[in-house]
Amino acid sequence: MFWESAGEGEYTLAEIEKADRGTEITLHLREGEDEFLDAWRVRNIISKYSDHIALPVEIESKDEEGEGTHWEKINKAQALWTRNKSEISDEEYNEFYKHIAHDYSDPVAWSHNRVEGKQEYTSLLYIPARAPFDMWNRDQKHGLKLYVQRVFIMDDAEQFMPNYLRFVRGLIDSNDLPLNVSREILQDSRVTQSLRAALTKRTLQMLEKLAKDDNEKYQTFWNEFGLVLKEGPAEDHANQETIAKLLRFATTQSEGSAQTISLEDYVSRMVEGQEKIYYITADSYAAAKSSPHLELFRKKGIEVLLLSDRIDEWMMSYLTEFDGKTFQSVSKADESLSKLADEETEEQKEAEKALEPFVERVKTLLGERVKEVRLTHRLTDTPAIVTTDANEMTTQMAKLFAAAGQEVPEVKYLFEINPDHPLVKRVADTQDEARFGEWIELLLDQALLAERGTLDDPNQFIRRMNQLLTA
């Protein structure tokens, strides 16, 4: 069979007679590409891209006397991953990565391991420096190249790596799987499950080492793949503690919105008497940082994790503790938050007792629209906030449900009022019930706006605010 193409997408086929067995390929160079006629250039290209190919590549060379020619093998004709690590240079590892990943950038890290014993396999895993453009495409192909006894079986064998590590590139060469293995067999194979656990652990160890040895490179990795790694606590409970160490956050003590603070950093800075790791979730970094829920923590010098990625609320529903410390949302009612507030003075207690009728008026006015009305001393500059009970769905989780098209249960908020705020004192002294109602509605809308970022009826809020300002 004769095949011919000009390299423009079309080709022709014809039947011919060939005297010898085998395949011959003849390349015709375009004008101006004479560099590829240079023997040194050809050697360099083959050495760079075909060293690992198990078949020998030979080039015709002239004898030293210049009278004849001979064929000289110019590639190692040995799969790179089967060679001893001490014999492989960093450049060779980088070039092999670019070959299998079709990437032009060097990886940030790699791990080459040969395992013998109960299982026999060789793995070569790479952490890329850049995320592919289709990282969030559901149909994106990912996984490792699978070899069995150095025989290539398939690309994108996703069974060997959990989904939250789908950015890992590389290969696995197993001696324990059959040569006729299929994706269906891999799915149910105990060998596959064992290899998956080992390769997952190896990848996490590689990331731990990178974070410890080269923080700048790890930050490069996090900026590209941090959102993907945040899927880990939900997917991989067995490695949750290790994954938690690899997470990075923006906090009230970090500079800007960059996620650079580890949980180990946070725990090392916890103030005396602090029992929990505090965090807040919001639609944006700016909304999180300026939330009135943080007023008490600023006053006490307590660091709070600022979470503003859409996945964060979902992640925190699985990430329950770290280093023996539980996580606590500052927008949820909790006993530890009450403990942080200064102990009430006799004067404050008397003031609260005097405001009991005011609290009852608010409860009567709002009725079933809120779960509870109470006074709070966790605020300094804000007249009122809303919080959710410990067992209630959070605002951010409700938004996730809504975004996914699911029915969202009504969130019943606790309405917490700052008795020391001048505006609250002014409203408490208002005798006109209609005007009193307008002020309470305004305070509630302000608290809901700060918590949710939106209101059911923003026009009514504007009308009420304008009416009260001009009265």
Side-chain angles (χ1 to χ4, degrees), residues 384-402:
I385 57 172
V386 290
T387 59
T388 51
D389 210 354
N391 300 319
E392 285 275 354
M393 177 181 288
T394 64
T395 300
Q396 290 303 113
M397 186 61 77
K399 288 181 179 181
L400 284 179
F401 271 73

Side-chain angles (χ1 to χ4, degrees), residues 281-424:
T281 55
D283 290 335
S284 67
Y285 167 78
K289 189 174 183 180
S290 62
S291 171
H293 291 291
L294 301 180
E295 291 180 8
L296 173 64
F297 297 89
R298 290 196 187 96
K299 180 180 177 182
K300 296 290 184 178
I302 296 175
E303 190 171 12
V304 179
L305 305 178
L306 305 178
L307 308 181
S308 55
D309 291 330
R310 177 168 288 189
I311 194 175
D312 285 336
E313 183 71 35
W314 181 71
M315 175 185 72
M316 296 309 296
S317 66
Y318 291 91
L319 191 63
T320 55
E321 67 173 49
F322 176 78
D323 195 25
K325 306 286 192 302
T326 57
F327 289 89
Q328 175 63 47
S329 169
V330 301
S331 62
K332 278 197 165 217
D334 184 73
E335 187 180 345
S336 68
L337 298 178
S338 302
K339 288 182 180 179
L340 290 177
D342 295 327
E343 189 173 339
E344 286 185 295
T345 64
E346 288 300 322
E347 186 180 346
Q348 286 177 322
K349 289 179 181 179
E350 290 179 10
E352 284 188 17
K353 191 172 182 180
L355 284 172
E356 285 179 1
F358 163 71
V359 173
E360 289 302 319
R361 284 177 77 190
V362 177
K363 286 181 180 180
T364 302
L365 176 69
L366 298 180
E368 296 297 318
R369 291 166 56 194
V370 295
K371 189 169 186 177
E372 187 181 343
V373 178
R374 62 192 183 195
L375 302 177
T376 181
H377 292 288
R378 59 181 292 191
L379 300 173
T380 55
D381 303 321
T382 305
I385 57 172
V386 290
T387 59
T388 51
D389 210 354
N391 300 319
E392 285 275 354
M393 177 181 288
T394 64
T395 300
Q396 290 303 113
M397 186 61 77
K399 288 181 179 181
L400 284 179
F401 271 73
Q406 299 184 35
E407 186 176 347
V408 182
E410 183 183 2
V411 179
K412 281 292 186 74
Y413 290 104
L414 308 175
F415 188 34
E416 300 191 14
I417 302 173
N418 178 5
D420 300 319
H421 197 279
L423 188 56
V424 172

Side-chain angles (χ1 to χ4, degrees), residues 128-279:
R130 298 175 183 275
F133 70 93
D134 57 351
M135 174 61 72
W136 301 103
N137 187 339
R138 289 176 179 268
D139 299 323
Q140 184 228 16
K141 291 183 178 180
H142 62 272
L144 305 178
K145 291 182 179 291
L146 173 62
Y147 290 78
V148 174
Q149 299 173 37
R150 287 162 297 286
V151 176
F152 175 71
I153 303 299
M154 68 178 74
D155 275 316
D156 307 316
E158 70 277 3
Q159 295 84 354
F160 295 101
M161 203 64 71
N163 199 51
Y164 74 94
L165 295 179
R166 60 184 176 273
F167 52 81
V168 176
R169 295 290 179 264
L171 60 86
I172 179 170
D173 189 344
S174 171
N175 289 341
D176 302 311
L177 291 167
L179 284 168
N180 63 343
V181 68
S182 65
R183 293 187 185 272
E184 289 72 23
I185 293 174
L186 282 178
Q187 196 70 40
D188 301 321
S189 169
R190 288 186 179 180
V191 174
T192 302
Q193 293 171 7
S194 180
L195 289 173
R196 177 188 175 102
L199 294 174
T200 298
K201 188 175 182 180
R202 177 69 61 185
T203 301
L204 294 176
Q205 288 174 342
M206 183 172 24
L207 290 173
E208 277 189 299
K209 186 176 186 303
L210 181 65
K212 181 179 179 181
D213 296 346
D214 195 330
N215 185 62
E216 185 176 342
K217 273 192 175 182
Y218 185 77
Q219 197 60 46
T220 297
F221 157 78
W222 178 260
N223 293 341
E224 293 289 323
F225 301 105
L227 278 175
V228 184
L229 198 61
K230 284 182 177 183
E231 299 171 10
E235 290 184 26
D236 190 355
H237 184 75
N239 292 301
Q240 195 174 90
E241 185 78 7
T242 303
I243 298 168
K245 290 180 181 178
L246 297 171
L247 300 175
R248 295 294 182 267
F249 302 88
T251 77
T252 50
Q253 292 187 19
S254 61
E255 295 182 7
S257 60
Q259 298 173 7
T260 60
I261 307 300
S262 71
L263 290 175
E264 289 175 309
D265 294 334
Y266 180 97
V267 170
S268 70
R269 297 198 289 254
M270 288 175 66
V271 302
E272 185 178 354
Q274 183 179 344
E275 301 172 351
K276 299 187 177 184
I277 299 173
Y278 294 104
Y279 71 91

